[in-house]
Amino acid sequence: MIKRAALYIRVSTDDQLEFSPDAQKRALISYAEKNGIEISHTFTEEGKSARTAKKRPEFMRMIGIAKTKPKPFDAILVHKFDRFARNREDSIVYKSMLQRDFGIKVISITESVNDDDKLSVLIEALLEAMAEYYSINLAEEVKKGMTEKARRGGFQTSPALGYYMHNGKLTVHPEEAETVKYIFEQFIDTGQFQIAKKLNSLGIKSKRGKKPDTRGVDYILRNKIYIGFVRWTPEKTGRNFNHPKTIWARGDHEPIISDELFDMAAKKLEGIKDNSDIGDTCDLPHFAKPQKSHWLSGIVKCSACGRTLAFANVKNPSFQCCGYSHAVCAVSHSISARKLEDAVLAELRSVLNDGAFVPKNPDRREEKRKQLRNLNAKLKRVNEAYEAGIDTKDEYRIKKEGIETQRRALMPENPENEKKIANLSELLNSHCDISTKQKAVRSILEKIIYQKSAGRLEFFYRGQRD
């Protein structure tokens, strides 16, 4: 007996007017009233044509609520089965789970299916298969139409910097176009890094309102839209302009850059690519392309912007802030790999020798280490006094116990950390592979902040007290 039900309403951009959210809701409410069903929840998903359930947030929220106790509703009402799922895998998984584990049925108010009728099971499966076929076929037809439009030079993506859409046509944005011209003209004499840095100093933003970086400048320099072409690829390719499926066609929009200037920039870019291994002609710093080939990769952070320091395995291996490399951070945090390695190893030895898995706060850490050093020095003097016959055995025992009590108060709550650091120090000095070293470092250290101006590294240990 169905007493309570949830309404699931979904409309995608390709649906007709009769399947609008309001139309579906009215039909569902009418069905519930006629059958004496109380409506406990309503889930509405507008403009979602996703074929998988995980891409529909309201659907996933509904499933989450359905799992709660006590049972929130006895059934889920949908206008048609294809509203619930557009692929058979999702339909089988979620319907089975709801019915088997929670006793919740999925009911289509326009497609009558009787649970006790074997033929109805086939009809329901056929309806779902038809819905999935329609979805797949529609996607293929849309892709065909977009491909044909691209071949005719039609524009169908987001406008690049320098353009905006006006009355369905790609139109030059005068202010942004000046920035594009500046980038191409400056690139002939300088490079991506210097250009991005200059744009940031002038407060110029990207199309998405972010700080320009070297990758953004490089993307503009390679984009043929500025000489009158449009680009479209029937699948995601990121910034790959040379994908084999990419379609380039002459558009009907006004070019911003001359063919001659674009070709000059293209030749320089090709030269940079050819010499990128030695960096003789590339204006970008060697560390512009992070390489995860060091056991400290990903753990050292810039104190100015918080970004990771990237490793470059060149003639003189070094680390540098990723943000600075791409001209979005104003402070250089360059440090040689050897210097950084030595500092980290020295820190681990210091923590081990001091006998304390010390606090995160640098001032408290130094204070604690100073106290431990003083106690060690005091213990040494007590031993010397006893050996010289100055103190009796009882006096020596009392003084030594007092110092040991103070030392224990400064020791960590978890002495296992001492063993971890000892093992890590030994491991980092061994010849094992980088991956093993990286995992070991991350098991002890949460992050390291490099403060370039102070010439100091700030260490943050996992499980460390504040």
Side-chain angles (χ1 to χ4, degrees), residues 184-391:
F184 274 91
E185 290 167 357
Q186 289 296 308
F187 182 62
I188 303 305
D189 298 317
T190 58
Q192 297 102 310
F193 180 75
Q194 288 85 351
I195 293 170
K197 195 172 182 180
K198 182 65 176 179
L199 293 176
N200 279 306
S201 69
L202 296 172
I204 295 172
K205 301 293 184 182
S206 70
K207 194 70 174 179
R208 296 182 180 180
K210 296 182 178 180
K211 289 183 176 182
D213 60 13
T214 54
R215 289 170 296 186
V217 171
D218 189 78
Y219 180 79
I220 288 172
L221 292 168
R222 297 178 188 276
N223 199 341
K224 293 182 182 178
I225 194 171
Y226 299 115
I227 54 173
F229 285 85
V230 294
R231 174 179 72 112
W232 187 77
T233 309
E235 58 187 65
K236 291 183 179 180
T237 62
R239 296 170 182 246
N240 182 6
F241 287 106
N242 300 314
H243 193 277
K245 292 185 179 180
T246 295
I247 296 171
W248 287 99
R250 178 68 68 176
D252 60 358
H253 61 282
E254 179 186 345
I256 293 176
I257 302 299
S258 68
D259 289 356
E260 293 76 17
L261 182 56
F262 188 89
D263 289 342
M264 288 174 66
K267 288 179 181 178
K268 183 173 180 180
L269 286 168
E270 190 61 32
I272 290 173
K273 180 181 178 182
D274 291 341
N275 293 279
S276 59
D277 291 337
I278 55 174
D280 288 341
T281 60
C282 181
D283 75 294
L284 288 174
H286 296 305
F287 38 74
K289 295 182 179 179
Q291 300 177 29
K292 293 184 178 180
S293 54
H294 194 282
W295 50 268
L296 283 170
S297 293
I299 201 170
V300 188
K301 308 293 181 180
C302 168
S303 64
C305 70
R307 291 180 175 86
T308 301
L309 265 62
F311 173 67
N313 190 15
V314 290
K315 186 177 181 180
N316 297 306
S318 62
F319 285 79
Q320 174 62 287
C321 169
C322 282
Y324 183 81
S325 302
H326 295 293
V328 291
C329 177
V331 184
S332 170
H333 273 67
S334 177
I335 182 172
S336 74
R338 175 56 64 85
K339 184 177 180 180
L340 188 57
E341 292 166 8
D342 291 345
V344 172
L345 290 170
E347 162 71 13
L348 295 174
R349 284 194 296 269
S350 177
V351 169
L352 185 61
N353 293 335
D354 286 344
F357 197 58
V358 291
K360 291 181 182 179
N361 186 296
D363 295 331
R364 287 186 59 200
R365 176 162 56 219
E366 188 54 39
E367 179 186 351
K368 190 171 183 180
R369 286 177 174 172
K370 185 177 180 181
Q371 290 174 334
L372 285 166
R373 286 195 294 270
N374 290 338
L375 288 172
N376 289 337
K378 187 181 291 187
L379 182 61
K380 183 179 179 181
R381 290 195 296 271
V382 167
N383 289 333
E384 291 173 348
Y386 174 66
E387 291 173 358
I390 298 173
D391 288 338

